[in-house]
Amino acid sequence: MDTSSSPIRHGHADGGPVNDACIETVEVIEIVEIVEIEIYGRDNRPPPPAKSYKVKIDHAHYVFHQRRVTGRELLVKAGKTPPEHYEIEKRVHGGKYIPVALDEHVDLGEPGIEVFETFPLDETEG
């Protein structure tokens, strides 16, 4: 599929000729079936738009069918229930860890996300 920009010509309502002032460029964006965000995160590149996003939580892979997910959804998918007893962090390009709150939304299409890691909360925490 050609993803390059291509001009689209709009004719006049009266059927008159089309001139260069009537040309607009439309970018065609290809949506892939599934994208593994860890691969793009290691290169600090945004993953392409996708129907599904494959993420690594601890050492296992999980698929989400939406681009934005909550910390709670990540924990539940990884079998960490009840989610209130766990903490989840995203590791981004460069090795930095960023905590994700239970109700915080994570954009799986943002550049730099490599993996997610979970940690059980102590009885005195959370």
Side-chain angles (χ1 to χ4, degrees), residues 52-66:
S52 300
Y53 294 83
K54 185 176 182 182
V55 301
K56 189 175 192 180
I57 304 172
D58 295 328
H59 298 286
H61 289 95
Y62 302 91
V63 175
F64 290 89
H65 300 290
Q66 68 273 9

Side-chain angles (χ1 to χ4, degrees), residues 71-119:
R72 181 182 310 277
E73 290 170 318
L74 290 162
L75 286 166
V76 169
K77 182 77 90 167
K80 306 296 182 175
T81 56
E84 292 78 13
H85 291 176
Y86 294 88
E87 175 184 0
I88 189 162
E89 296 180 351
K90 63 180 175 180
R91 186 179 76 209
V92 296
H93 183 74
K96 183 177 178 184
Y97 286 84
I98 301 170
V100 177
L102 288 178
D103 296 320
E104 179 182 346
H105 282 90
V106 176
D107 181 351
L108 299 176
E110 75 180 52
I113 298 175
E114 294 179 353
V115 298
F116 293 90
E117 294 189 19
T118 66
F119 306 94

